[in-house]
Structure formats: structure tokens, C-alpha cells
């Protein structure tokens, strides 16, 4: 593989530019100690949301609203983002980011709580896109819920799918790396899903619900 691969990766990550709203959300994320999606991942999320003309999206892991901003920018003008986070302070920061963006309050539904308590209450097949970006140890359970929630043609996105470049190394067998590796295999082997693993950010696993 070319020794310039890392340079090309960095070039791709910086291909898009982030405005003041996104940079402000990133600053709040740093203050709160939560890790937002990279610009490259954010750009892919916006493109995916726009591609499926997303009107209903579920996000597991609100953070400070960076990924939510990208999703909303790709979603239909009257679409609704349902975003779940156990940390109320994170959602407060996300609300500030959405307000800075000028997003109408009716376009976001922020739910404070454990995703595994919230997701089962959401409608089967009622969503165009599901983003999983929190609690990697729970990825297997989130995957099961996401497939249930997606309509045919809907898109699943799982962030950190390469987990600090550990997943690709078979010698790395710690519990969390193994869990994420197995989720990737589960998505790949599920006949209901058409998958691709993108090296964007720390790995973005995407799949279309057949």
C-alpha cells in the first residue's frame, strides 16, 4: 500500500470546510469531553441523509450536536431527527447548536435516557436512517434495534467501526475490539443488509436495508 495513504486520508477528512456553527459545536464537545464525528464522517452522513431524502432519522449518541447538524443538513426540510443520549448536559449543548443553526424546535426530538430503553419504543420500519455512535459495548443490541427500525431502502450507519485501527489487526483481541469486529461481521453476513465499510474517520460501517 502506498506510503502516502495517511496523507490521502487526511486530505479526504479536510475536503469539506466547517462553518462557525459546526466549529462552535465542536468546541462545546471538547469542553464536555465527548468525541464528535470527524468532518469526513459528518460529510458522509449528510450525503446519506440527502440520498434517501430522509424524513425520519434516529441517532444513538447526541453528543454536542455535531453529527446531528450534519444529518439535519442532509435531511428533508420538514424532517425530524430523534436523538438519544443518557447525558442531559450533552443534549443541552446540542440544543444550543441546533438553535445556532436556526433549526425549528419541531424538527428535533431529544430524548434523555438509555438508548436500550428508548429504541424498543420506536416504530418498526418507521425510519429512513439510523446512526449508532455511542456505547460501543452495546453495538450488537443497537444493531438489532436499528435493523428493526429501518424501512426497506433505509440506511444504517455505525461510527468507530475500525475502533482506533484495532479491528483490522487480528492480534487485537480485547473485549471491545472483538465486539466491534463481530458487529461488522454480523452486518456483512445479514441477508437483510447491503453493507460497505468506509475508512472515513475511525471507520464508518454503512448498510442499506433490503
Amino acid at each position: 500500500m502506498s506510503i502516502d495513504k495517511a496523507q490521502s486520508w487526511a486530505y479526504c477528512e479536510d475536503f469539506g470546510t466547517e462553518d462557525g456553527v459546526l466549529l462552535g459545536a465542536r468546541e462545546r464537545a471538547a469542553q464536555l469531553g465527548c468525541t464528535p464525528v470527524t468532518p469526513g464522517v459528518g460529510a458522509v452522513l449528510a450525503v446519506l441523509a440527502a440520498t434517501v431524502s430522509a424524513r425520519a432519522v434516529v441517532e444513538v449518541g447526541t453528543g454536542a450536536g455535531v453529527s446531528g447538524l450534519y444529518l439535519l443538513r442532509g435531511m428533508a426540510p420538514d424532517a425530524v431527527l430523534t436523538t438519544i443520549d443518557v447525558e442531559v448536559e450533552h443534549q443541552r449543548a446540542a440544543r444550543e447548536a441546533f438553535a445556532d443553526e436556526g433549526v425549528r424546535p419541531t424538527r428535533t426530538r431529544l430524548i434523555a435516557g438509555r438508548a436500550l430503553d428508548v429504541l424498543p419504543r420506536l416504530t418498526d420500519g418507521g425510519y429512513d436512517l439510523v446512526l449508532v455512535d455511542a456505547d460501543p459495548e452495546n453495538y450488537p443490541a443497537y444493531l438489532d434495534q436499528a435493523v428493526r427500525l429501518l424501512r426497506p431502502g433505509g440506511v444504517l450507519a455505525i461510527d468507530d467501526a475500525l475502533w482506533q485501527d484495532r479491528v483490522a489487526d487480528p492480534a487485537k483481541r480485547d473485549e471491545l475490539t472483538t465486539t466491534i469486529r463481530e458487529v461488522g461481521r454480523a452486518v456483512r453476513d445479514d441477508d437483510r443488509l447491503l453493507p460497505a465499510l468506509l475508512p472515513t474517520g475511525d471507520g464508518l460501517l454503512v448498510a442499506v436495508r433490503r
Side-chain angles (χ1 to χ4, degrees), residues 69-148:
L69 287 170
Y70 274 109
L71 288 167
L72 285 162
R73 291 181 181 189
M75 292 162 63
D78 57 347
V80 175
L81 171 66
T82 298
T83 180
I84 307 162
D85 202 300
V86 72
E87 298 289 345
V88 175
E89 194 65 27
H90 292 180
Q91 293 201 322
R92 186 175 295 115
R95 281 193 177 90
E96 187 173 348
F98 300 155
D100 289 346
E101 179 79 351
V103 175
R104 298 190 309 277
T106 54
R107 292 197 60 206
T108 58
R109 181 169 59 152
L110 288 84
I111 302 176
R114 293 178 65 252
L116 290 179
D117 295 331
V118 176
L119 292 172
R121 303 200 301 264
L122 302 182
T123 304
D124 291 13
Y127 295 88
D128 305 298
L129 191 154
V130 176
L131 169 63
V132 175
D133 187 22
D135 312 321
E137 66 275 10
N138 290 323
Y139 274 14
Y142 294 157
L143 171 60
D144 290 341
Q145 290 295 324
V147 174
R148 178 184 64 80

